[in-house]
Amino acid sequence: MSLQVISEQRCHGGVQGFYRHESRATGGPMRFGVFQPQRNPGCTLPVLYFLAGLTCTEETAAIKAGAQRLAAEHGMLLVTPDTSPRETGFEGATGDWEFGEGAGFYLDACTAPFAKRFRMYSYIVEELPALVADAFDADLSRSGITGHSMGGHGALTIALRNPGKYRSVSAFAPIVAPSQVPWGHKALPRYLGEDRALWNLHDSVELIRNGHRFDGTLLIDQGDADSFLEKQLKPELLRDACQQSGQPLNLRMQVGYDHSYWFIQTFIADHLRHHAAALHA
């Protein structure tokens, strides 16, 4: 698979790069970032995927999260994919920050016209890992996944639906129950139609209620001053589902923190330590 280098810069002893390729899953060009720490020749590294939220790109977490120094310390690749295909030309895919380009919700759409391009679940779970393993010597047997907001939703649902694929999972302010909140009510029917069974496959709370488990602890940080907390995020729904099912959960409510990357920067070290403990076990 041909990989185009957009840019590469030295960073914390390693290299932060941004790349472009033609995607089979999304039917067009996709971009992603990779931080590669310094390593010995021939050494494969574990990989941590960071899925960004609404309106974000492959650059957002790489620039704002402050994770490269920690990834270098813990010896892991940090992969930051884009949040959707771009320049699709579909009516309704632009002009609304809560839907379409920049808001792919990490699912495979099945409604026209979005089913042709909006296949972020397949891209994240299948295509991107194979590309990263080939181009950057990633050890896919040691993979972790994290994300913010819509990306936290993606990290949780992907980990729950793919037991054994990821050794660790965490999230910052995730949308834990999109089938019960306005963001999901806008996106899910337009991508998936009105079949609630399909919605439930992309809803962490419903997945856990229906028997899906992650073999480990879900680490979640949520600011209690987050303006989206009560209407869109509802972490108490995930807490209740985990308690009822026996799924280990470390839900940390952080006093005074909002939904921003200042919040993420504050607690990113805890998350990378969480992932490193599993990826280097």
Side-chain angles (χ1 to χ4, degrees), residues 27-95:
M30 289 295 296
R31 298 175 301 186
F32 65 95
V34 177
F35 171 70
Q36 301 181 71
Q38 188 173 6
R39 56 176 151 171
N40 295 325
C43 176
T44 61
L45 293 177
V47 56
L48 176 63
Y49 302 91
F50 190 114
L51 308 185
L54 293 165
T55 76
C56 295
T57 73
E58 74 285 353
E59 293 184 334
T60 309
I63 293 172
K64 294 184 176 182
Q68 288 91 341
R69 176 182 62 82
L70 300 157
E73 289 178 5
H74 293 297
M76 63 178 71
L77 295 165
L78 182 65
V79 179
T80 57
D82 201 354
T83 53
S84 77
R86 303 285 175 170
E87 299 180 0
T88 62
F90 298 155
E91 183 177 356
T94 58

Side-chain angles (χ1 to χ4, degrees), residues 11-12 16 18 50 52-70 78 80 148 172 258-269 272:
C11 178
H12 293 287
Q16 174 64 58
F18 294 99
F50 190 114
L54 293 165
T55 76
C56 295
T57 73
E58 74 285 353
E59 293 184 334
T60 309
I63 293 172
K64 294 184 176 182
Q68 288 91 341
R69 176 182 62 82
L70 300 157
L78 182 65
T80 57
H148 174 228
F172 296 89
D258 61 11
H259 200 69
S260 72
Y261 268 82
W262 301 114
F263 159 61
I264 294 173
Q265 285 183 20
T266 304
F267 300 104
I268 190 69
L272 265 71

Side-chain angles (χ1 to χ4, degrees), residues 130-209:
L131 177 59
V132 169
D134 181 62
F136 301 98
D137 290 328
D139 179 359
L140 297 187
S141 71
R142 295 186 291 158
S143 296
I145 191 165
T146 187
H148 174 228
S149 193
M150 179 187 71
H153 140 79
L156 291 171
T157 56
I158 286 170
L160 287 165
R161 289 181 60 186
N162 293 274
K165 189 175 183 68
Y166 304 93
R167 289 194 186 182
S168 55
V169 61
S170 72
F172 296 89
I175 308 169
V176 301
S179 66
Q180 300 186 51
V181 301
W183 277 337
H185 291 166
K186 175 179 284 189
L188 296 181
R190 296 177 73 183
Y191 285 134
L192 301 174
E194 297 297 337
D195 185 348
R196 289 275 178 156
L198 293 178
W199 295 20
N200 290 347
L201 293 175
H202 301 282
D203 184 305
S204 301
V205 170
E206 292 300 325
L207 287 169
I208 291 170
R209 285 175 176 170

